[in-house]
Amino acid sequence: MENHHYDVIVVGSGIGGLTAAVDLASHGKKVTVLEQHYMFGGACTTYTRKGGFKFDAGVESISGLGKQGPVRHFLQRHGMMENITWLKNTYEFRYDDEIFEIPHKYEEWRDRLIVQYPHEAYGIKQFFTTCKAAYEEKYTVFAPDRVIPRIPKTKGEMMEYPAKNPNYFRWMRSTWGEFLQAFIQDSVLIQNLSMLTGYVGDLGLKTPTSTMLSIMGYFIEGGYRPQGGSGILADQLVKKLRSYGSEARINTHADSIMIEENQVKGVRTNKGDFFAPVVISNTDPRVTYEKLIGLDCLSAAYQEKVRQLEPSMSLISWSAALQTPFITERLISHKFSKPVEFPANGLTVDGIAYHSAARLDESLAPNGCGTVVIMFKASPSASYYQQMGEQQYLQRKQEIDMKCREFLAAIDPIAEKSILFSEVATPKTVERYMKTYEGSIYSTKMDKENGFPSLQSPIGGLYLAGAGVGEGPGIEAVVITGATVAELIRSNEFTCI
Ligand SMILES: Cc1cc2nc3c(=O)[nH]c(=O)nc-3n(C[C@H](O)[C@H](O)[C@H](O)COP(=O)(O)OP(=O)(O)OC[C@H]3O[C@@H](n4cnc5c(N)ncnc54)[C@H](O)[C@@H]3O)c2cc1C
């Protein structure tokens, strides 16, 4: 009979959970990762469809791989950086029929925009200079090889911080809109410079500048995809975890986290009970507290805070296998001046994002073939789709399929004629595979001002890691959070069984 006793159990194999697991295992802890899906990686998986076509479940581009990038530092620390071939993405912004390619060099992008918007030349120059300086200042906390930012602690360090980091300090509490509008007025240009706000939520110009500076890293230092699909990153982390003597299991659904006298005891799953004095939940915080723990274990005030947690945005995603390669390898964000209606789904769509991973990475499609994915925002509404009958749900998906084929016909008519098969994912699909509350893609929204939900729960030995806590969504962010949780656990010195 298997011995199911561990130092640490991680529920969920998202990148945040795996980062924490690898860190703790490398420090000699006996860790097991329990994953309900048949693949590791959560939103960072790559699945194969008939004919050998490969699609990424979510992640298309990874940041934090620059010289002072925490993802680079973490992978280097564990000897993984060289195990992955990184392919650099190219971005493009479209506004109706206007096309703006974003060159790989940040300064070239600036110069191109000055030619396109001569009346904004001065502001563009100022914005690009300030933005890069603020970005570099923000990343000094990771120098020389840190994964967890070194926050100024002593009085002296705190006093010195504004003088040492004047650009970051000046703008870190502003919204992205305030920062941009201090330099630039043209609304299309502002949208162009905000094309990746969707990578961290649906706040658009209200997204905090401190968050958006990391997103600008995609243009300053580059955004990359692992050759073979984003799932390669998760696979590498699992391989490393096992090389440290720990383990990870798929098809293992955590039904509840067992608690006695306000202390974690282990996890009850469809494959039996697993025991440990420390559990890290890598699942959505609201789901963790409501379903895995049960609100009764919490104080009335804490219960109320959990009930207030709202899901982040969700999306509709359409994927197609093509008999020919897609027209471009660029990641395109396309804004419409006139929104497109999806009456059956009750959706109004003012922009789409599309890309073909197989165009950049030929290993993702059979010889001479291609793939394309079109995505657009949707409210986190898994229960809306779940309460429908099969036929009604099918009709909703048919409308999405038809409209996406129309989008594709306008973008690449040859590709549209060569569709072999297509699939639609809704918030219901996201909920099924990621188990987030209402099928949100970035977990529940944090209340950053009050630091809720925090990495440490009110239950002894229970910690949270992932997109719903700490730094928020995105691979770079969850790597930082995962490493932070691991350090917190190590510094709390738990007793090993
Ligand atoms: C469509 C989409 C596109 C994205 N694009 C990008 C991008 O280009 N770049 C980028 O940096 N980020 C991107 N993101 C965001 C990024 O992928 C996520 O923020 C990040 O991967 C979340 O990691 P996580 O650690 O929170 O775990 P998650 O990825 O949320 O994984 C949690 C895991 O827990 C498992 N789980 C849940 N409940 C249970 C249970 N009861 N028992 C066992 N297992 C359970 C789930 O199956 C899942 O595998 C995208 C996300 C999505 C959804």
mmCIF file of all heavy atoms in Angstrom, residues 108-126:
data_model
loop_
_atom_site.group_PDB
_atom_site.id
_atom_site.type_symbol
_atom_site.label_atom_id
_atom_site.label_comp_id
_atom_site.label_asym_id
_atom_site.label_seq_id
_atom_site.Cartn_x
_atom_site.Cartn_y
_atom_site.Cartn_z
ATOM 1 N N GLU A 108 12.642 51.225 -32.040
ATOM 2 C CA GLU A 108 12.111 51.249 -33.419
ATOM 3 C C GLU A 108 10.601 51.463 -33.405
ATOM 4 O O GLU A 108 10.034 52.118 -34.270
ATOM 5 C CB GLU A 108 12.396 49.910 -34.087
ATOM 6 C CG GLU A 108 13.348 50.014 -35.251
ATOM 7 C CD GLU A 108 13.588 48.636 -35.830
ATOM 8 O OE1 GLU A 108 12.661 48.078 -36.446
ATOM 9 O OE2 GLU A 108 14.702 48.107 -35.628
ATOM 10 N N TRP A 109 9.968 50.866 -32.408
ATOM 11 C CA TRP A 109 8.515 51.040 -32.258
ATOM 12 C C TRP A 109 8.213 52.515 -32.030
ATOM 13 O O TRP A 109 7.333 53.091 -32.680
ATOM 14 C CB TRP A 109 8.016 50.188 -31.079
ATOM 15 C CG TRP A 109 6.539 50.187 -30.862
ATOM 16 C CD1 TRP A 109 5.563 50.437 -31.794
ATOM 17 C CD2 TRP A 109 5.845 49.914 -29.627
ATOM 18 N NE1 TRP A 109 4.317 50.330 -31.219
ATOM 19 C CE2 TRP A 109 4.464 50.003 -29.894
ATOM 20 C CE3 TRP A 109 6.256 49.582 -28.346
ATOM 21 C CZ2 TRP A 109 3.492 49.787 -28.906
ATOM 22 C CZ3 TRP A 109 5.298 49.351 -27.370
ATOM 23 C CH2 TRP A 109 3.935 49.462 -27.649
ATOM 24 N N ARG A 110 8.976 53.130 -31.114
ATOM 25 C CA ARG A 110 8.824 54.568 -30.834
ATOM 26 C C ARG A 110 8.972 55.373 -32.130
ATOM 27 O O ARG A 110 8.115 56.204 -32.473
ATOM 28 C CB ARG A 110 9.905 54.991 -29.826
ATOM 29 C CG ARG A 110 9.957 56.483 -29.546
ATOM 30 C CD ARG A 110 11.290 56.877 -28.941
ATOM 31 N NE ARG A 110 12.387 56.589 -29.868
ATOM 32 C CZ ARG A 110 13.665 56.540 -29.523
ATOM 33 N NH1 ARG A 110 14.026 56.728 -28.284
ATOM 34 N NH2 ARG A 110 14.596 56.266 -30.436
ATOM 35 N N ASP A 111 10.049 55.091 -32.895
ATOM 36 C CA ASP A 111 10.323 55.888 -34.102
ATOM 37 C C ASP A 111 9.216 55.711 -35.139
ATOM 38 O O ASP A 111 8.839 56.651 -35.834
ATOM 39 C CB ASP A 111 11.688 55.509 -34.683
ATOM 40 C CG ASP A 111 12.805 55.863 -33.692
ATOM 41 O OD1 ASP A 111 12.540 56.646 -32.765
ATOM 42 O OD2 ASP A 111 13.923 55.334 -33.845
ATOM 43 N N ARG A 112 8.709 54.495 -35.213
ATOM 44 C CA ARG A 112 7.629 54.236 -36.179
ATOM 45 C C ARG A 112 6.365 55.017 -35.792
ATOM 46 O O ARG A 112 5.691 55.586 -36.649
ATOM 47 C CB ARG A 112 7.328 52.738 -36.189
ATOM 48 C CG ARG A 112 7.006 52.246 -37.571
ATOM 49 C CD ARG A 112 6.883 50.778 -37.566
ATOM 50 N NE ARG A 112 8.124 50.116 -37.928
ATOM 51 C CZ ARG A 112 8.173 48.852 -38.289
ATOM 52 N NH1 ARG A 112 7.080 48.132 -38.317
ATOM 53 N NH2 ARG A 112 9.309 48.294 -38.611
ATOM 54 N N LEU A 113 6.080 55.048 -34.492
ATOM 55 C CA LEU A 113 4.884 55.780 -34.038
ATOM 56 C C LEU A 113 5.043 57.285 -34.272
ATOM 57 O O LEU A 113 4.075 57.976 -34.594
ATOM 58 C CB LEU A 113 4.607 55.492 -32.560
ATOM 59 C CG LEU A 113 4.094 54.093 -32.245
ATOM 60 C CD1 LEU A 113 3.946 53.894 -30.738
ATOM 61 C CD2 LEU A 113 2.746 53.821 -32.925
ATOM 62 N N ILE A 114 6.284 57.783 -34.148
ATOM 63 C CA ILE A 114 6.523 59.219 -34.387
ATOM 64 C C ILE A 114 6.219 59.552 -35.850
ATOM 65 O O ILE A 114 5.622 60.590 -36.152
ATOM 66 C CB ILE A 114 7.973 59.597 -34.004
ATOM 67 C CG1 ILE A 114 8.110 59.547 -32.467
ATOM 68 C CG2 ILE A 114 8.368 60.960 -34.544
ATOM 69 C CD1 ILE A 114 9.514 59.746 -31.938
ATOM 70 N N VAL A 115 6.575 58.620 -36.748
ATOM 71 C CA VAL A 115 6.265 58.850 -38.178
ATOM 72 C C VAL A 115 4.745 58.804 -38.391
ATOM 73 O O VAL A 115 4.174 59.625 -39.119
ATOM 74 C CB VAL A 115 6.984 57.788 -39.058
ATOM 75 C CG1 VAL A 115 6.547 57.901 -40.510
ATOM 76 C CG2 VAL A 115 8.499 57.938 -38.922
ATOM 77 N N GLN A 116 4.086 57.868 -37.718
ATOM 78 C CA GLN A 116 2.631 57.727 -37.907
ATOM 79 C C GLN A 116 1.842 58.842 -37.220
ATOM 80 O O GLN A 116 0.757 59.197 -37.657
ATOM 81 C CB GLN A 116 2.177 56.354 -37.389
ATOM 82 C CG GLN A 116 2.506 55.225 -38.355
ATOM 83 C CD GLN A 116 2.462 53.855 -37.680
ATOM 84 O OE1 GLN A 116 2.787 53.697 -36.508
ATOM 85 N NE2 GLN A 116 2.067 52.849 -38.444
ATOM 86 N N TYR A 117 2.385 59.346 -36.115
ATOM 87 C CA TYR A 117 1.690 60.401 -35.354
ATOM 88 C C TYR A 117 2.626 61.597 -35.137
ATOM 89 O O TYR A 117 3.009 61.885 -33.991
ATOM 90 C CB TYR A 117 1.245 59.867 -33.988
ATOM 91 C CG TYR A 117 0.216 58.772 -34.062
ATOM 92 C CD1 TYR A 117 0.602 57.434 -34.137
ATOM 93 C CD2 TYR A 117 -1.142 59.070 -34.064
ATOM 94 C CE1 TYR A 117 -0.348 56.427 -34.215
ATOM 95 C CE2 TYR A 117 -2.091 58.070 -34.129
ATOM 96 C CZ TYR A 117 -1.686 56.745 -34.209
ATOM 97 O OH TYR A 117 -2.624 55.755 -34.276
ATOM 98 N N PRO A 118 3.008 62.322 -36.218
ATOM 99 C CA PRO A 118 3.998 63.405 -36.049
ATOM 100 C C PRO A 118 3.545 64.471 -35.052
ATOM 101 O O PRO A 118 4.364 65.031 -34.328
ATOM 102 C CB PRO A 118 4.156 63.968 -37.464
ATOM 103 C CG PRO A 118 3.046 63.395 -38.270
ATOM 104 C CD PRO A 118 2.573 62.155 -37.607
ATOM 105 N N HIS A 119 2.226 64.709 -34.970
ATOM 106 C CA HIS A 119 1.732 65.724 -34.038
ATOM 107 C C HIS A 119 1.914 65.309 -32.576
ATOM 108 O O HIS A 119 1.799 66.132 -31.675
ATOM 109 C CB HIS A 119 0.256 66.026 -34.326
ATOM 110 C CG HIS A 119 -0.630 64.801 -34.271
ATOM 111 N ND1 HIS A 119 -0.571 63.812 -35.224
ATOM 112 C CD2 HIS A 119 -1.562 64.417 -33.375
ATOM 113 C CE1 HIS A 119 -1.441 62.862 -34.909
ATOM 114 N NE2 HIS A 119 -2.052 63.211 -33.793
ATOM 115 N N GLU A 120 2.209 64.029 -32.332
ATOM 116 C CA GLU A 120 2.403 63.534 -30.963
ATOM 117 C C GLU A 120 3.886 63.225 -30.698
ATOM 118 O O GLU A 120 4.210 62.591 -29.690
ATOM 119 C CB GLU A 120 1.588 62.246 -30.744
ATOM 120 C CG GLU A 120 0.092 62.405 -30.818
ATOM 121 C CD GLU A 120 -0.512 62.747 -29.459
ATOM 122 O OE1 GLU A 120 0.222 63.187 -28.564
ATOM 123 O OE2 GLU A 120 -1.732 62.555 -29.304
ATOM 124 N N ALA A 121 4.772 63.663 -31.621
ATOM 125 C CA ALA A 121 6.182 63.233 -31.553
ATOM 126 C C ALA A 121 6.812 63.479 -30.179
ATOM 127 O O ALA A 121 7.429 62.577 -29.598
ATOM 128 C CB ALA A 121 6.998 63.930 -32.641
ATOM 129 N N TYR A 122 6.633 64.669 -29.642
ATOM 130 C CA TYR A 122 7.280 65.008 -28.371
ATOM 131 C C TYR A 122 6.783 64.085 -27.247
ATOM 132 O O TYR A 122 7.569 63.498 -26.497
ATOM 133 C CB TYR A 122 7.015 66.482 -28.017
ATOM 134 C CG TYR A 122 7.677 66.887 -26.729
ATOM 135 C CD1 TYR A 122 9.049 67.114 -26.670
ATOM 136 C CD2 TYR A 122 6.925 67.020 -25.552
ATOM 137 C CE1 TYR A 122 9.662 67.458 -25.474
ATOM 138 C CE2 TYR A 122 7.536 67.359 -24.351
ATOM 139 C CZ TYR A 122 8.900 67.571 -24.319
ATOM 140 O OH TYR A 122 9.505 67.894 -23.129
ATOM 141 N N GLY A 123 5.461 63.928 -27.180
ATOM 142 C CA GLY A 123 4.864 63.091 -26.126
ATOM 143 C C GLY A 123 5.290 61.631 -26.254
ATOM 144 O O GLY A 123 5.562 60.963 -25.254
ATOM 145 N N ILE A 124 5.352 61.135 -27.489
ATOM 146 C CA ILE A 124 5.756 59.730 -27.701
ATOM 147 C C ILE A 124 7.175 59.529 -27.166
ATOM 148 O O ILE A 124 7.451 58.574 -26.435
ATOM 149 C CB ILE A 124 5.656 59.344 -29.200
ATOM 150 C CG1 ILE A 124 4.200 59.343 -29.669
ATOM 151 C CG2 ILE A 124 6.303 57.986 -29.465
ATOM 152 C CD1 ILE A 124 3.996 59.176 -31.165
ATOM 153 N N LYS A 125 8.073 60.456 -27.527
ATOM 154 C CA LYS A 125 9.475 60.342 -27.073
ATOM 155 C C LYS A 125 9.533 60.327 -25.546
ATOM 156 O O LYS A 125 10.176 59.475 -24.936
ATOM 157 C CB LYS A 125 10.277 61.548 -27.582
ATOM 158 C CG LYS A 125 11.041 61.249 -28.850
ATOM 159 C CD LYS A 125 12.026 62.384 -29.136
ATOM 160 C CE LYS A 125 12.025 62.633 -30.623
ATOM 161 N NZ LYS A 125 12.450 63.923 -31.061
ATOM 162 N N GLN A 126 8.825 61.266 -24.939
ATOM 163 C CA GLN A 126 8.832 61.375 -23.475
ATOM 164 C C GLN A 126 8.253 60.110 -22.832
ATOM 165 O O GLN A 126 8.787 59.591 -21.860
ATOM 166 C CB GLN A 126 7.995 62.593 -23.020
ATOM 167 C CG GLN A 126 8.551 63.933 -23.442
ATOM 168 C CD GLN A 126 9.909 64.201 -22.816
ATOM 169 O OE1 GLN A 126 10.074 64.073 -21.629
ATOM 170 N NE2 GLN A 126 10.884 64.538 -23.637
#
